[in-house]
Amino acid sequence: MAAYEGPILLGNAPDYRGLGVAQSNRATIEAYASQNAPAIAVAAGIAVQSQWGPGLQDWAEEHVFGDTNPSQGIAQMTPSEMQKYLGGGSAFDSNLAIQAMARKIGASVGACVGCSTTDKFIVAGMAQNGFLPSDVSYVLEKYRKDGIIDWSGYFAKQEAPSGGAKNNWLALRSGGRSWNLFQLQLFLNDLMALKEKGWELPSDVNLSYLQCLTSGASQCNP
């Protein structure tokens, strides 16, 4: 029996369909990679996002939830994000979408000044779905002490989406976890799968620490 490749609600496996999209666009992803947005991080972001669209997610956001700025295409970029990161262009253009995703991740990672490589990958894992430079600045101000970010403390304060049809749907997808932690889990699943497929992951990324964080443990030591 062939492996299931549809959307995975609770993040309990890699995004198989999304990984295929990332693999098929490897040359483009590598072309737009940078120090703040390494190829494997951009690829993992694409894998997470393209698992749901184009298709069901695109249709639901516009027609079920009435979203006037819907996420679209393989990177699930909104029209406003395309304008912000590229000055416009269609999110359904894979080349532009990958470039926008790389810039989106790079902007937030770049805001993590003085961060470890592991911290930067945590930021990248959330930035692929909206963790902005302003969010990074908040974490650095409130949760960094002596150069170490207390990510366990940060995630402990985050709540699952609630209220309204769209947020209730997001809460269902995340299994009641905070949206940022859920996004990090999805990103980590795909990051590890891409590493197995030969994508280069910096040797100083602490995968055990990331796994501890996404497990929901109350305390994880970097």
Side-chain angles (χ1 to χ4, degrees):
M1 179 180 295
Y4 171 69
E5 295 186 357
I8 297 169
L9 281 176
L10 301 179
N12 55 356
D15 298 301
Y16 300 112
R17 183 169 62 187
L19 289 168
V21 173
Q23 287 282 80
S24 65
N25 286 280
R26 183 165 186 166
T28 305
I29 290 170
E30 290 176 341
Y32 291 123
S34 66
Q35 183 175 358
N36 287 336
I40 192 172
V42 177
I46 293 294
V48 172
Q49 296 302 326
S50 61
Q51 182 75 1
W52 285 87
L56 174 63
Q57 183 81 349
D58 291 335
W59 183 87
E61 288 203 21
E62 185 172 359
H63 298 284
V64 177
F65 303 123
D67 197 334
T68 59
N69 187 43
S71 302
Q72 300 171 326
I74 66 168
Q76 290 293 280
M77 303 296 290
T78 66
S80 63
E81 286 177 324
M82 294 301 291
Q83 183 65 38
K84 177 179 180 179
Y85 295 110
L86 293 181
S90 172
F92 292 107
D93 181 318
S94 296
N95 184 290
L96 294 180
I98 290 168
Q99 186 177 359
M101 174 63 83
R103 291 189 180 187
K104 181 179 179 180
I105 291 174
S108 292
V109 172
C112 203
V113 178
C115 295
S116 69
T117 305
T118 300
D119 289 334
K120 291 179 179 179
F121 268 76
I122 292 171
V123 169
M126 296 182 289
Q128 55 85 19
N129 201 329
F131 192 72
L132 301 172
S134 58
D135 298 313
V136 177
S137 297
Y138 171 80
V139 168
L140 296 183
E141 179 183 352
K142 300 293 185 180
Y143 292 94
R144 182 162 66 178
K145 183 178 181 181
D146 298 328
I148 298 175
I149 299 174
D150 178 16
W151 289 109
S152 295
Y154 169 73
F155 287 122
K157 295 290 186 180
Q158 306 304 300
E159 297 181 355
S162 62
K166 184 173 182 179
N167 280 339
N168 289 339
W169 163 239
L170 297 180
L172 173 65
R173 281 182 56 190
S174 66
R177 290 160 288 184
S178 81
W179 189 246
N180 283 336
L181 185 58
F182 179 53
Q183 292 306 308
L184 181 60
Q185 179 186 359
L186 298 178
F187 180 82
L188 178 60
N189 291 347
D190 293 346
L191 196 74
M192 295 178 70
L194 288 163
K195 182 175 181 291
E196 291 298 313
K197 292 178 180 295
W199 293 70
E200 183 177 355
L201 180 70
S203 60
D204 54 345
V205 173
N206 189 337
L207 289 175
S208 296
Y209 178 55
L210 296 183
Q211 289 171 321
C212 180
L213 289 173
T214 56
S215 74
S218 59
Q219 185 60 48
C220 299
N221 298 315

